[in-house]
Amino acid sequence: MPRTGPATHDVVVIGAGLAGLRAAHILARAGRDVVVLEAADDVGGRERTDIVDGFLLDRGFHVLNPAYPALPHAADLAALDLQAFPVGVRVRRERRSVRLGHPLRHPGLIPATVASGLVRPADLWALARWTMPAMLDPKGVISGSDRSLAEGWARAGLTGALRTEVLEPFLAGVIADDTGATSEAFVRLLVRMFALGRPGLPADGIAALPRHLASRAEAAGADIRLSHRVTALSRGTGACEVAVAGADTVHASRVIIAVGPEAVATLTDLPARKTKGLQTWWFDAAQEPAFDALLAVDGRRRGPIVNTAVLSRTARTYAPRGHHLVQATCLLPTDGRGASEDEVRRQLAELWGKDAAQWRLLRRDDVRHALPAQPAPLHVRSAPWIAERILIAGDHRDTASIQGALVSGARVARTLLSI
Ligand SMILES: Cc1cc2nc3c(=O)[nH]c(=O)nc-3n(C[C@H](O)[C@H](O)[C@H](O)COP(=O)(O)OP(=O)(O)OC[C@H]3O[C@@H](n4cnc5c(N)ncnc54)[C@H](O)[C@@H]3O)c2cc1C
């Protein structure tokens, strides 16, 4: 009897984050034999949700913007039961808190917006001028010249309170950077998404998105193996060998490396990509701090919090009946030393006008590698191949976002299908 060697799969995908799952789904649907190896105990990568004392806690504060062009191709949005945030923000100024809202989506907030003192015509005009290229010609923004965000805003004449008290603190939480060094083109594309879509959260937590992608990939025939950490990757003449901690080596004709930016250098010769960290504090507030779901920022920039929100106001499913879930997000410096609990509670009290000393701390998430740094010039659509038989995907190969991860995963899959 001839001895049969180990099966050689068409494709092994390393990593079951959004990029890996998206690639696996496309390849399996096209009839390829796909195995996904994931180090963690569940799919999702950076997009995970845990149940803690009846609360849904995402690992860090996430939002899902349905305007991302890649989303409807990857997922059935209706199945995610998105709970939408209001399109507005609460800003703590020196003397009082004010509210601003999108005039068409929340006409009831127009008087408050006008009275906020934050929307001066010169600032509005500068913001419109700065935003317009991304609204009219996003491809031109990607292919055009790029500079730092701070430089771009200065050139557009955006210098007033709308920038310093609203846009800067708000965007700091979105791009995990408050230095102004992030690519202007990248932020323009993000702002375009905020203008077009109404971000929200899946009723079952942000993890509902990767779980949904995983179930689609499995239904198409992909074999997803959890708790399978890849330790080494080598190329033979006819196939790649993928070594897995505590399990058999897996063989495949092609390998897609879909790990996060911090892990790329462990499996490839590519240099480590710089990342940005975020820290989120989750509290069970005895009394509801606000009667709307607006995200709150500190226009005075007086403390570590870049944004805070009563999440259970947006998604009731995030807290048990009678409880209120508050998140407070801070930037996490590269040395990993985040804010102190006292600082966070003090600023929360100032932002919400409520005593936060007694709120029960449910959990603190320190996510050191939340996002790949995205300095100017913006490089999207990085080459899928890094060696013969080996491709790479992830948000660090496109834009630092859900959109970037999904697009990148789809790109490597289509590249493979085209050969
Ligand atoms: C706190 C936070 C908030 C965010 N908020 C937003 C937001 O509001 N909007 C937005 O668009 N984006 C947001 N993002 C970014 C978004 O989550 C990511 O861009 C996206 O999830 C990246 O997906 P990925 O597949 O590229 O990488 P990852 O999610 O990092 O997936 C990589 C996977 O590879 C696995 N892996 C690593 N090494 C190995 C190995 N050796 N063997 C096997 N498996 C391995 C990891 O366990 C992981 O599951 C946020 C991120 C964080 C952390």
Side-chain angles (χ1 to χ4, degrees):
M1 289 272 290
R3 276 184 55 200
T4 50
T8 298
H9 302 283
D10 292 334
V11 185
V12 161
V13 179
I14 307 174
L18 299 180
L21 293 169
R22 180 73 182 120
H25 180 215
I26 293 173
L27 290 164
R29 200 178 50 193
R32 300 296 195 273
D33 162 24
V34 183
V35 173
V36 183
L37 302 172
E38 168 54 53
D41 60 359
D42 202 352
V43 299
R46 277 166 272 167
E47 308 249 285
R48 299 276 303 265
T49 306
D50 305 293
I51 300 176
V52 176
D53 286 355
F55 292 85
L56 290 185
L57 302 191
D58 295 334
R59 294 190 183 172
F61 174 51
H62 297 250
V63 300
L64 180 58
N65 193 328
Y68 282 146
L71 259 185
H73 301 289
D76 170 10
L77 277 177
L80 297 178
D81 192 10
L82 267 194
Q83 313 289 302
F85 284 94
V87 188
V89 65
R90 173 189 300 271
V91 183
R92 180 70 165 88
R93 306 200 72 193
E94 278 305 335
R95 298 219 166 112
R96 62 193 176 112
S97 283
V98 297
R99 296 184 304 157
L100 284 81
H102 189 298
L104 298 178
R105 293 219 166 96
H106 309 291
L109 275 177
I110 290 175
T113 305
V114 172
S116 71
L118 287 168
V119 283
R120 291 195 317 235
D123 278 354
L124 277 182
W125 172 237
L127 179 61
R129 239 188 0 238
W130 180 80
T131 314
M132 211 43 77
M135 300 309 294
L136 299 178
D137 180 19
K139 288 192 176 134
V141 168
I142 292 171
S143 60
S145 62
D146 194 12
R147 55 189 67 82
S148 72
L149 178 63
E151 213 185 316
W153 276 348
R155 279 168 67 123
L158 187 53
T159 53
L162 185 62
R163 169 178 167 180
T164 56
E165 295 192 41
V166 185
L167 294 170
E168 283 182 354
F170 172 74
L171 285 168
V174 178
I175 58 179
D177 178 33
D178 64 356
T179 65
T182 296
S183 148
E184 179 194 38
F186 172 53
V187 180
R188 272 188 161 143
L189 296 172
L190 280 178
V191 169
R192 171 185 157 83
M193 291 298 108
F194 280 111
L196 295 179
R198 189 162 169 192
L201 284 167
D204 289 338
I206 195 69
L209 174 62
R211 284 191 196 129
H212 176 73
L213 298 187
S215 66
R216 286 186 141 193
E218 283 178 326
D223 173 6
I224 301 177
R225 302 180 190 170
L226 302 176
S227 305
H228 276 58
R229 173 173 294 281
V230 173
T231 53
L233 177 60
S234 56
R235 277 181 295 143
T237 41
C240 297
E241 280 194 2
V242 185
V244 182
D248 290 341
T249 296
V250 183
H251 300 259
S253 302
R254 302 281 189 298
V255 172
I256 295 174
I257 299 175
V259 302
E262 76 288 358
V264 165
T266 62
L267 293 175
T268 73
D269 294 333
L270 295 176
R273 177 82 181 260
K274 277 199 181 141
T275 55
K276 302 279 180 185
L278 290 168
Q279 178 182 67
T280 296
W281 300 72
W282 299 99
F283 293 96
D284 171 8
Q287 282 142 8
E288 200 163 27
F291 297 108
D292 59 48
L294 290 172
L295 190 86
V297 300
D298 195 337
R300 310 159 311 161
R301 319 284 281 277
R302 210 168 287 159
I305 297 175
V306 289
N307 64 57
T308 169
V310 186
L311 279 205
S312 43
R313 265 267 155 190
T314 287
R316 195 53 259 175
T317 43
Y318 269 59
R321 187 178 286 275
H323 293 259
H324 312 286
L325 178 64
V326 177
Q327 73 80 19
T329 293
C330 313
L331 303 185
L332 187 65
T334 38
D335 65 9
R337 280 195 307 191
S340 77
E341 189 172 332
D342 282 351
E343 284 176 298
V344 168
R345 287 186 189 272
R346 179 198 50 74
Q347 199 183 1
L348 276 172
E350 291 181 12
L351 288 171
W352 293 113
K354 296 275 178 341
D355 181 6
Q358 303 307 319
W359 293 359
R360 183 163 66 103
L361 179 62
L362 292 163
R363 193 172 78 181
R364 192 188 85 198
D365 291 332
D366 290 1
V367 190
R368 285 188 65 187
H369 307 291
L371 292 171
Q374 194 97 68
L378 180 65
H379 291 294
V380 295
R381 306 191 188 117
S382 305
W385 294 100
I386 53 165
E388 197 188 343
R389 303 185 176 284
I390 301 179
L391 302 94
I392 188 159
D395 63 348
H396 52 96
R397 305 294 288 176
D398 199 275
T399 55
S401 64
I402 291 169
Q403 160 76 10
L406 292 175
V407 169
S408 169
R411 185 181 306 127
V412 292
R414 298 214 170 92
T415 301
L416 267 187
L417 292 177
S418 70
I419 55 174

